[in-house]
Structures are given as structure tokens and as C-alpha cells.
């Protein structure tokens, strides 16, 4: 391998350039994937704090046995909205923020395939999230847990609007997810720079592709389940109503056919992130690149055949149970393979422990614990013991926080200099990392024991006789430390955004195309589209020189970029409104609500996407 | 030169696969729709036999009536093919005429299916009467919503053709709508086979 490209200097400041419009309305109407990414990140972080505060209230309530800090009703709303928000409004959109910023830059494109659709998906997500949280304002937040099992959601047991907020909110978010999936699949399949073959794409782009396929295939399944639930509640169908012959287990099947692929929707982006970061800070190409790619694809496939491991207590019979036990154990293999690939990449490399790298290593350690506890309850008999206990709560937090979120935080430190042209503060970063590690493990490791000693999840308090006080107290202390770590992170972002140390174009000496642009990149990304000849284009001197020669200079005439547009936000508002009107359960109101959607769609379709007068 | 390089954004010009973004994107969407209808149809197959009160499928379905409405819908696909052909040839008047036929046949299909619904309701099959009723109406109703959206879309195409905004070079706009319309037809063929023919 030739020398590492550390010497590329140009930051954006150095190439002063015509002023981009940065006012408020320019953000509302933007169709630039980089700005949309920043909005996704900010919104997801805001929701992270909203859901995190709920977790702190929950932990305070559970610190001592038989407390009554909050009522059982409010407790139900808090744990339901904590889970729903963290999954659908934090982990997923946070990953989408990275998809948005990075995919076009990594494949050498100027934007995604459908820039306005991209903006539309963001606004739908934001409005859907606001709608879902507005349920607290009317005192009717969802309260039947994030899995919404029938018959807890039946009109009989969940009267009022609580569950309607939940099912309509999730439907709205699902629309945004499918739009995102379609957009990123098209972008990655169709908009790669010359020479950017599939097997040369950075792993992050690869995992975005696999995740997008999971999105477009898994979301429709929960979409149908939510439609059934809505019809049951509003129009008297009997899909999940035993009294009418319906089967509540159907909900469990549909939910988990979506729900398990969803786990990989959450985790694969993080795998992509660390597969890009570890090689950079090991100064070695990723060990076994094709194997990491194929393992990711395999995980995506097998992820469809394991859903009933969430349902061992239902009593599906020994044959079905055995099948899902086996499938679940098999899916651990490609995941384990990836762990060894990352370790082998670091093996013998010249390691540099920046904050980004620390989070990657932290992920490997913590996620492995979550993987191991997952294999424990993959076994049906063991599962019967652990089902619906705090052991499961510990397990999935190790996977989703220790896997997905740690990976995305690694990505935050790694790509922030590209986004802002300034570094995040490394000292604060290390504080963030260590408080996260201590707070996270202190919160969730004791939960394994609380669970094994018999503490059920989703119960607003527990008896002193259960002897789980000490584990709960440790968890609560840990949760507050974890809370502090998140404040440190935001403080670091705000401070560094304003006055961080300036960063050059390729501060880490990384190998991929996004680092061949100034920091921050021009709004059109590449003045001319570079040609790629290898997997690590910036690590081969001749190839790097050729690429930088076309990507760095300012063009004589700027490339033509799509127009900003008001219609994405207007259409998103119309779509959210039309779905919200479903709550009324009145046919003609719902039908009327579709009119603004159609109107806004037409206005959108007839507005030119590009500046006039360019002959197309 | 910078101008030539811009062709990579949105609908025009060169792509990695040679297929336009719109087509790749739309096929992806159709894949998603397959899972959507797949879930609806599977639920119906599981649920129709679980009805504990009548009416039951074999008591009420009129296969001849549905065969006729299915044929009408199938012919609308043929009309669409002819509309696309005319658009590509630049014969916008003929294209508009064929698209009107498509809408008319879509409306005919909806009318016939609507009369079936009324008949079934007379027999006592409602959304809440049994698992069969719930699964049947939500499955076929969802399909009808797709037909209606297709008709609105085709209406917009007629308007654009009328205003001369779809020259042959932009006939892909009609082609994409055609993909959607044919997909909705094919889904109906599957529903027709599984719901009406195999009872
Ligand atoms: Cu699972």
C-alpha cells in the first residue's frame, strides 16, 4: 500500500466561494441531502432527549420498591413512548441522517436519486414524530408498549385515543421509511461514479443498501398490521378480537415478521459505520471485505426467518419452536464472523485511538455481550424463563444502544469534521465515551440479574421481597450517569460547531471518496465526477492525485442542482393531517382529508424540479 | 463541460445501470407493494376458514360476475399499452382517447365490484360479521383504493398530454403510470384466483 493521504490540505474556508443561502427558509425548502441529513440528526437528537428523560423518570420510579413517584397509568405511557420514540424517532432517523449525508458523497454522486422525495420523507418523519408526542398534550399517550400486543390494544381494554395515536403515528413514520428505502436503493444502484463497482463501495454504503431493502420489505408488513388494528378500533373489524373469531396471535406474527428485520435495520448501519472507521484508524484495509459484505447480506436474509423466537411462550409447538431456535442460532454466525473481521483488521495495524475509534472498540465489547445474551434466550427452554423479564430488557439495550447507538456516535466523531469543517473536541469526546461506557454498563448489566431473579418488565413497581433493590439502585445511578454523558455530547457538538479546531479535507487520512471533497463539501459535492479504480481510492497515490484534481478545484461554472421547493413540507403536512383525521373514525371526514394530499401532489408534480431554461 | 456533468442528478441522463432512476425507484416501490399485498392475501387465506358465523365464501361469491369485472380490468391494461404506444409515436389525441378508455374501464370495474359489495352486505357479510368479512373487505378494499389512485394519476396524465407537456421524449411518465396500472391488475388476478376461484 502506498502512503496515506494525510497531506491533502484544502478546507472550505481556504477556497472562499459564492455565498450559499443559509437563512431559515432555505432550510425549510432545501432538497440538499447534506442539509436534510443535518436536520435528521438534530431532530433525532431532540427526540433522544425526550425519550431519555422518560427513561430517567422510569428509573427514578424503580429505584426503591413500592414507590409511587408516578401513577401506573403514566408509567405505562412513559415506557411505551420511551421504546416507540427510541426506535422509530431516534435510532432509525439517526441512521438515516448518516445515509443522507454520506451515501451520495461515498459513491461520487451530487445528490440522491430523488432529492424532493428525500425532503418529503424528512418532513413526514418530523411531523409524524410531533404528532405521536402531541398525545401527551391531550393526556392520551400510547400505553400498550412499543409492541402493542393484542388484545391490550382492543377498544375494550384501551378505550380513548391513546392507541390511535400510536397506530396512526407509526403508519405516518412508515411512509417516510419506505420513501427513504426506495430513494437509497435507487441512489446506490444507479448513481455510482464511473468505476465505483458494487464490490468497491464503502461498507457503510453497502449496509445502507441492505438496510434499505429491509425497510421496503419489512415496513409493509407492520403497515398491514396497523391497518388491521385501526379497522378493529374504528370500524369494527375482528382481526384481533377473539369474541369475533379473530386471533390475537396474528398480531404477534405480523409484528415480529416486521420486528426482527427491524433489529437489523437498527444494527446494520452501525456495522457499516465501524467497518469504515476501523480500517482508517488501523491504517489497513478492511480484513476480508467481501466476507463482511456477504455476511451483511446474509444477516438481511436470515433475519426474515427468525421472528418466532419472540413467541416461544405462545405455544406454537415443538417443531415450529425448534425451527426458530435453529434459525436464530445460525444468524449469530455471520454476526460473529463480522466481529472477527473487525478484530483482524485491527490486528497488527498501527492503531490510533481517537474518540471515534474508542466508540468502535466499545461497540465490539458491549455488543458482544448483547449478542451472547441473545444466544442464551435463542434456546426455547431458557427463553421461557427469561421471557418478559428484565433479562430481555438488558439484552436488547446491549444490542440497540451498545450496537446501533454506539456505532452512530462513533460516526458522529468521525464525520463531524467533514460536515462542519471543524473537529469535535477530543477531550470532551473522551469524557463522552467513558461516561457512556460506565453509565451504560452500570444501567443495564445489573438488569440481567434483576431479570433472572424474577423481576418482570413493564411493571411500575416491585415488592421488597423480590430482593432486587440493589440491582435497581445500580441501574438508576447508571442511568443518570448515562444522561450526563448525553449532555456532554450535545455540549461538545454545540461548542465545536461554533469554535472547534478547523479540519482539513481529509483529517484522518481516510480512504473513501467523501474525504476527497472540501470540508464542508460544496452543495453540489463534486465539481466533476471522479473515476474510481479501487476500494481505497485515496490510499493509492496515483489514483488519489487523479481524483483530487477533479474534486478539489472550484468549477468555472457551477453544476446545475435541483431547485429548492416548498412542496415537500406542504405535502408532508397534508399527509400527516389526512392520517390524523383517521382518528375521527368518520368516513367522509377521512375521505375529505385526502383532498389536500392530492392537491399538494399535483402542485408538486407540475413544479419544475430544475431551474428553467436548461433545455430538458 | 460542467453542464454535461450535471446529467447525473434526477431524471435525466446517464445512470450506472442504464435504466432510469424513475424505473429503478418504481420497481423498488412495487417490490414493497408485493409484501404489502402478500400480507393482506396471506391473512385472508388463513382467516376465511376461521369464520365461526356465516355467510361463508362459497355461499355468496358469484364467480361469473367477478369474471366479467376481472375481464374489464384486464382490457384496461391493453388500452394502456395502446395509450403508451401512441404517446411514444407523438399521437397525443389517440393517447388521450385510450387513457379515457382506461379510466372508463377502471370505473366499470369499481361499479361492478361495488354492486357485489352491496349484495354481500345484503347476505349479512360486513366488516365485523366474521374474520372472513374483515379479511375480505380490507383486502379487496385496499385494492380498490389502488385502482382509484391509478385513475387519479391517469387523469393527471390526460391533462398533461392535453397541454402538450408529454412529448415522445418524455413518454416514460406514461410508462411508469402503466407499470403501476399493470401491477394493480396483476394483483387483482392473484386475488381473483385465490379468493374467488379456489374457495
Ligand atoms: Cu428477533
Amino acid at each position: 500500500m502506498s502512503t496515506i493521504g494525510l497531506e491533502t490540505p484544502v478546507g472550505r474556508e481556504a477556497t472562499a466561494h459564492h455565498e450559499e443561502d443559509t437563512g431559515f427558509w432555505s432550510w425549510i425548502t432545501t432538497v440538499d441531502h447534506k442539509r436534510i441529513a443535518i436536520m435528521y440528526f438534530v431532530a433525532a437528537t431532540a427526540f433522544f432527549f425526550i425519550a431519555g428523560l422518560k427513561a430517567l423518570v422510569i428509573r427514578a420510579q424503580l429505584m426503591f420498591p413500592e414507590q409511587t413517584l408516578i401513577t401506573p397509568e403514566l408509567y405505562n405511557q412513559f415506557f411505551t413512548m420511551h421504546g416507540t420514540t427510541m426506535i422509530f424517532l431516534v435510532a432509525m432517523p439517526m441512521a438515516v441522517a448518516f445515509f443522507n449525508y454520506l451515501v451520495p458523497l461515498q459513491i461520487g454522486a451530487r445528490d440522491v436519486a430523488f432529492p424532493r422525495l428525500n425532503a418529503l420523507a424528512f418532513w413526514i418523519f418530523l411531523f409524524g414524530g410531533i404528532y405521536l408526542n402531541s398525545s401527551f398534550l391531550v393526556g392520551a399517550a400510547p400505553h400498550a408498549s412499543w409492541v402493542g400486543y393484542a388484545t391490550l390494544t382492543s377498544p375494550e381494554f384501551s378505550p380513548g385515543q391513546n392507541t390511535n395515536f400510536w397506530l396512526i403515528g407509526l403508519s405516518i413514520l412508515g411512509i417516510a421509511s419506505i420513501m427513504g428505502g426506495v430513494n437509497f436503493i435507487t441512489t446506490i444502484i444507479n448513481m455510482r461514479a464511473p468505476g465505483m463497482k458494487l464490490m468497491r463501495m464503502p461498507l457503510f454504503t453497502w449496509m445502507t443498501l441492505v438496510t434499505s431493502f429491509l425497510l421496503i420489505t419489512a415496513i409493509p408488513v407492520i403497515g398491514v398490521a396497523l391497518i388491521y388494528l385501526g379497522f378493529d378500533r374504528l370500524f369494527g373489524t375482528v382481526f384481533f378480537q377473539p369474541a369475533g373469531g379473530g386471533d390475537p396471535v396474528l398480531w404477534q406474527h405480523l409484528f415480529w415478521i416486521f420486528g426482527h428485520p427491524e433489529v437489523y435495520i437498527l444494527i446494520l448501519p452501525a456495522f457499516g459505520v465501524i467497518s469504515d472507521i476501523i480500517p482508517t484508524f488501523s491504517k489497513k484495509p478492511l480484513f476480508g471485505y467481501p466476507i463482511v459484505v456477504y455476511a451483511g447480506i446474509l444477516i438481511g436474509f436470515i433475519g426474515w426467518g427468525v421472528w418466532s423466537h419472540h413467541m416461544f411462550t405462545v405455544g406454537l409447538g415443538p417443531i415450529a419452536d425448534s425451527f426458530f431456535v435453529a434459525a436464530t442460532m445460525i444468524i449469530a454466525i455471520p454476526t460473529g464472523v463480522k466481529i472477527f473481521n473487525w478484530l483482524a483488521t485491527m490486528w497488527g495495524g498501527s492503531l490510533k485511538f481517537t474518540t471515534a475509534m474508542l466508540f468502535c472498540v466499545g461497540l465490539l465489547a458491549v455488543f458482544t455481550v448483547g449478542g451472547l445474551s441473545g444466544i442464551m434466550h435463542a434456546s426455547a427452554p431458557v427463553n421461557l424463563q427469561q421471557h418478559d423479564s428484565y433479562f430481555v430488557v438488558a439484552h436488547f439495550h446491549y444490542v440497540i444502544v451498545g450496537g446501533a447507538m454506539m456505532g452512530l456516535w462513533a460516526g458522529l466523531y468521525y464525520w463531524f469534521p467533514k460536515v462542519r469543517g471543524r473537529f469535535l473536541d477530543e477531550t470532551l469526546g473522551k469524557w463522552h465515551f467513558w461516561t457512556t461506557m460506565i453509565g451504560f454498563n452500570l444501567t443495564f448489566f445489573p438488569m440481567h440479574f434483576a431479570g433472572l431473579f424474577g423481576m418482570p418488565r413493564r411493571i411500575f413497581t416491585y415488592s421488597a421481597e423480590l430482593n432486587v433493590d440493589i440491582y435497581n439502585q445500580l441501574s438508576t445511578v447508571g442511568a443518570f450517569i448515562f444522561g450526563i454523558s448525553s449532555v456532554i455530547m450535545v455540549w461538545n457538538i454545540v461548542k465545536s460547531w461554533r469554535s472547534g479546531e478547523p479540519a482539513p479535507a481529509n483529517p484522518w487520512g481516510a480512504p473513501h471518496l467523501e474525504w476527497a471533497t472540501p470540508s464542508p463539501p460544496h452543495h453540489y459535492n463534486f465539481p466533476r465526477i471522479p473515476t474510481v479504480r479501487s476500494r481505497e481510492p485515496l490510499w493509492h497515490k496515483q489514483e488519489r492525485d487523479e481524483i483530487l484534481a477533479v474534486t478539489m478545484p472550484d468549477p468555472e461554472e457551477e453544476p446545475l442542482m435541483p431547485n429548492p421547493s416548498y412542496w415537500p413540507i406542504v405535502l408532508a403536512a397534508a399527509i400527516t393531517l389526512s392520517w390524523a383525521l383517521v382518528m375521527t373514525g368518520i368516513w367522509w371526514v377521512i375521505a375529505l382529508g385526502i383532498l389536500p394530499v392530492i392537491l399538494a401532489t399535483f402542485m408538486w408534480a407540475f413544479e419544475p424540479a430544475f431551474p428553467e431554461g436548461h433545455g430538458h | 463541460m460542467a453542464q454535461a456533468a450535471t446529467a447525473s442528478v434526477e431524471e435525466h441522463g446517464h445512470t450506472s445501470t442504464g435504466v432510469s432512476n424513475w424505473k429503478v425507484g418504481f420497481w423498488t416501490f412495487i417490490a414493497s407493494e408485493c409484501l404489502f399485498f402478500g400480507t393482506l392475501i396471506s391473512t385472508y387465506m388463513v382467516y376465511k376458514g376461521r369464520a365461526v358465523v356465516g355467510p361463508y365464501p362459497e355461499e355468496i361469491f358469484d364467480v361469473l360476475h367477478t369474471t366479467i369485472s376481472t375481464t374489464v380490468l384486464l382490457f384496461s391494461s391493453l388500452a394502456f399499452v395502446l395509450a403508451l404506444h401512441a404517446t411514444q409515436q407523438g399521437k397525443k389525441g389517440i393517447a388521450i382517447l385510450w387513457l379515457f378508455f382506461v379510466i372508463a374501464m377502471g370505473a366499470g370495474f369499481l361499479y361492478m365490484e361495488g354492486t357485489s359489495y352491496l349484495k354481500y352486505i345484503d347476505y349479512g357479510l360486513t366488516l365485523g360479521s366474521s374474520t372472513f368479512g374483515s379479511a375480505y373487505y380490507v383486502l379487496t378494499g385496499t385494492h380498490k383504493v389502488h385502482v382509484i389512485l391509478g385513475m387519479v394519476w391517469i387523469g393527471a396524465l390526460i391533462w398533461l398530454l392535453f397541454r402538450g407537456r408529454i412529448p415522445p421524449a418524455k413518454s416514460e411518465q406514461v410508462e411508469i403510470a402503466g407499470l403501476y396500472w399493470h401491477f394493480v391488475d396483476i394483483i387483482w388476478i392473484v386475488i381473483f384466483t385465490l379468493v374467488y376461484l379456489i374457495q
Side-chain angles (χ1 to χ4, degrees):
Chain A
M1 167 145 354
S2 74
T3 53
I4 304 299
L6 277 167
E7 72 275 18
T8 53
V10 206
R12 184 68 174 282
E13 265 79 15
T15 60
H17 187 59
H18 96 276
E19 279 298 302
E20 253 179 73
D21 187 1
T22 53
F24 176 76
W25 291 106
S26 73
W27 286 89
I28 298 290
T29 58
T30 188
V31 296
D32 178 348
H33 68 100
K34 298 181 290 301
R35 286 180 166 213
I36 292 171
I38 291 170
M39 294 196 290
Y40 264 113
F41 188 89
V42 171
T45 304
F47 285 125
F48 176 67
F49 274 82
I50 292 172
L53 284 175
K54 285 175 194 128
L56 292 184
V57 175
I58 289 171
R59 282 317 320 165
Q61 160 68 19
L62 291 176
M63 187 155 181
F64 301 103
E66 286 159 49
Q67 281 201 110
T68 48
L69 208 61
I70 54 173
T71 61
E73 288 75 27
L74 197 58
Y75 186 89
N76 287 352
Q77 297 184 7
F78 271 29
F79 77 69
T80 300
M81 283 301 286
H82 167 76
T84 304
T85 306
M86 283 298 191
I87 301 230
F88 295 100
L89 300 177
V90 180
M92 287 171 80
M94 191 81 87
V96 174
F98 284 87
F99 296 174
N100 259 294
Y101 204 94
L102 294 169
V103 166
L105 287 168
Q106 286 199 326
I107 62 174
R110 293 216 168 93
D111 207 314
V112 294
F114 307 107
R116 283 192 300 179
L117 186 70
N118 199 22
L120 176 65
F122 167 73
W123 293 112
I124 293 178
F125 145 72
L126 182 64
F127 293 155
I130 292 170
Y131 165 80
L132 200 50
N133 278 281
S134 71
S135 57
F136 276 108
L137 299 178
V138 293
H143 55 191
S145 98
W146 89 276
V147 299
Y149 269 19
T151 54
L152 289 174
T153 52
S154 297
E156 201 184 340
F157 302 112
S158 173
Q161 295 287 6
N162 310 52
T163 298
N164 294 347
F165 270 111
W166 185 75
L167 74 94
I168 292 167
L170 289 194
S171 311
I172 296 170
L173 297 173
I175 298 171
S177 291
I178 289 181
M179 286 174 176
V182 167
N183 214 341
F184 283 103
I185 290 171
T186 311
T187 305
I188 295 169
I189 288 184
N190 242 7
M191 301 187 63
R192 284 166 285 132
M196 179 60 81
K197 297 177 180 164
L198 287 176
M199 290 310 272
R200 283 179 187 163
M201 295 193 310
L203 245 296
F204 179 76
T205 294
W206 254 115
M207 291 305 110
T208 304
L209 183 63
V210 177
T211 306
S212 300
F213 272 106
L214 289 175
L215 281 172
I216 63 144
T217 47
I219 301 283
V221 180
I222 193 178
V224 170
L226 292 168
I227 289 173
Y228 289 164
L229 181 58
F231 268 82
D232 270 15
R233 291 180 56 82
L234 297 164
F235 305 115
T237 53
V238 295
F239 286 104
F240 309 123
Q241 314 306 322
D247 188 351
V249 177
L250 175 68
W251 170 270
Q252 294 194 27
H253 279 296
L254 295 180
F255 185 86
W256 289 115
I257 288 174
F258 149 80
H260 195 88
E262 169 72 16
V263 175
Y264 295 108
I265 289 170
L266 298 174
I267 196 70
L268 288 178
F271 284 1
V273 167
I274 71 167
S275 300
D276 277 9
I277 296 178
I278 290 177
T280 297
F281 293 119
S282 306
K283 294 208 160 75
K284 277 172 68 191
L286 183 66
F287 180 85
Y289 170 98
I291 295 177
V292 181
V293 170
Y294 293 135
I297 297 173
L298 200 62
I299 289 172
F301 269 105
I302 309 177
W304 277 89
V306 298
W307 79 89
S308 283
H309 62 210
H310 298 267
M311 299 167 60
F312 286 140
T313 53
V314 167
L316 300 172
I319 294 175
D321 280 0
S322 309
F323 173 84
F324 286 105
V325 168
T328 304
M329 293 192 170
I330 286 170
I331 203 170
I333 296 173
T335 311
V337 165
K338 284 191 167 210
I339 303 248
F340 283 107
N341 276 293
W342 293 318
L343 292 176
T345 305
M346 291 164 66
W347 190 275
S350 49
L351 303 181
K352 193 163 172 238
F353 284 99
T354 60
T355 307
M357 185 65 163
L358 282 177
F359 269 106
C360 292
V361 176
L363 182 149
L364 291 183
V366 175
F367 178 78
T368 304
V369 174
L372 290 176
S373 61
I375 293 177
M376 284 167 76
H377 45 234
S379 162
V382 177
N383 185 284
L384 297 183
Q385 185 69 27
Q386 295 165 356
H387 190 88
D388 261 353
S389 76
Y390 261 85
F391 189 88
V392 175
V393 178
H395 159 70
F396 67 72
H397 280 93
Y398 266 85
V399 172
I400 296 173
V401 183
M405 294 310 291
M406 294 262 276
L408 296 178
W409 289 326
L412 168 67
Y413 284 88
Y414 185 63
W415 281 296
F416 187 89
K418 178 52 58 190
V419 176
R420 182 53 184 161
R422 297 177 184 280
F423 287 97
L424 281 172
D425 187 295
E426 279 289 309
T427 311
L428 281 176
K430 277 168 187 149
W431 274 97
H432 174 209
F433 172 73
W434 286 110
T435 46
T436 299
M437 280 301 269
I438 294 166
F440 169 80
N441 284 296
L442 193 56
T443 310
F444 296 107
F445 202 76
M447 286 187 190
H448 290 109
F449 297 99
L452 288 178
F453 289 130
M455 183 168 169
R457 64 194 282 212
R458 299 181 184 132
I459 300 286
F460 93 111
T461 192
Y462 53 94
S463 145
E465 288 159 24
L466 207 54
N467 284 323
V468 291
D469 309 19
I470 179 66
Y471 306 113
N472 279 290
Q473 281 148 15
L474 289 172
S475 287
T476 303
V477 172
F480 279 86
I481 297 176
F482 196 14
I484 291 167
S485 83
S486 307
V487 175
I488 297 175
M489 174 185 75
V490 169
W491 168 238
N492 195 355
I493 294 173
V494 171
K495 178 175 164 280
S496 305
W497 186 269
R498 290 194 185 143
S499 58
E501 193 192 325
N506 189 0
W508 316 116
H512 296 131
L513 270 192
E514 74 268 29
W515 303 104
T517 62
S519 303
H522 299 292
H523 70 109
Y524 44 79
N525 295 356
F526 301 98
R528 275 185 285 156
I529 303 298
T531 299
V532 178
R533 286 193 316 229
S534 70
R535 265 178 212 151
E536 289 88 16
L538 302 188
W539 277 0
H540 307 285
K541 184 158 186 348
Q542 196 193 346
E543 191 177 3
R544 177 174 72 240
D545 292 346
E546 287 171 15
I547 289 174
L548 294 180
V550 299
T551 57
M552 278 304 185
D554 279 355
E556 303 285 301
E557 188 182 353
E558 291 201 354
L560 186 64
M561 294 304 288
N563 283 333
S565 172
Y566 285 98
W567 293 112
I569 190 171
V570 172
L571 181 54
I575 288 174
T576 310
L577 177 73
S578 76
W579 277 95
L581 287 176
V582 173
M583 295 177 90
T584 61
I586 305 166
W587 281 105
W588 61 268
V589 173
I590 297 169
L592 227 57
I594 298 171
L595 287 181
V597 177
I598 293 178
L599 195 69
T601 310
F602 274 66
M603 300 308 292
W604 159 307
F606 297 148
E607 181 192 55
F610 280 80
E612 293 290 352
H614 275 284
H616 49 267
Chain B
M1 188 273 326
Q3 288 291 319
T6 61
S8 60
V9 187
E10 220 172 50
E11 68 257 51
H12 23 112
H14 171 83
T15 63
S16 312
T17 57
V19 182
S20 81
N21 284 346
W22 274 102
K23 265 190 207 155
V24 173
F26 206 79
W27 278 109
T28 314
F29 170 70
I30 285 181
S32 189
E33 286 272 83
C34 285
L35 269 291
F36 183 75
F37 277 106
T39 310
L40 287 164
I41 292 171
S42 319
T43 304
Y44 174 82
M45 299 306 282
V46 174
Y47 259 19
K48 65 169 178 178
R50 286 199 179 210
V52 283
V53 287
Y56 301 100
E58 58 277 12
E59 295 169 10
I60 60 169
F61 284 153
D62 179 350
V63 176
L64 181 65
H65 183 92
T66 312
T67 308
I68 296 169
S69 66
T70 304
T71 314
V72 170
L73 196 61
L74 275 183
F75 272 98
S76 76
S77 261
L78 181 64
F80 208 114
V81 172
L82 296 169
L84 175 61
H85 187 70
T87 312
Q88 285 162 342
Q89 308 263 303
K91 298 170 184 162
K92 76 173 193 186
I94 297 173
I96 290 173
L97 190 68
W98 282 120
L99 287 180
F100 266 119
F101 274 121
V102 175
I103 290 188
M105 284 187 262
F109 170 79
L110 289 177
Y111 173 77
M112 288 192 71
E113 286 297 298
T115 57
S116 303
Y117 273 13
L118 292 177
K119 215 167 62 184
Y120 302 152
I121 292 169
D122 269 352
Y123 283 124
L125 187 75
T126 62
L127 272 174
S129 65
S130 66
T131 52
F132 164 54
S134 297
Y136 173 77
Y137 283 120
V138 173
L139 165 61
T140 53
T142 309
H143 180 263
K144 281 169 189 58
V145 170
H146 278 74
V147 173
I148 292 168
L149 289 178
M151 288 162 63
V152 173
W153 190 351
I154 293 165
L157 288 178
I158 290 176
W159 194 76
L160 284 172
L161 277 164
F162 179 73
R163 295 286 306 270
R165 285 177 63 175
I166 309 185
K170 285 190 167 185
S171 63
E172 192 178 51
Q173 289 187 34
V174 179
E175 200 179 343
I176 300 281
L179 277 179
Y180 175 82
W181 191 257
H182 299 317
F183 169 75
V184 171
D185 278 9
I186 290 168
I187 288 293
W188 181 256
I189 303 292
V190 176
I191 293 174
F192 176 65
T193 311
L194 293 176
V195 174
Y196 296 90
L197 293 184
I198 308 168
Q199 286 179 21

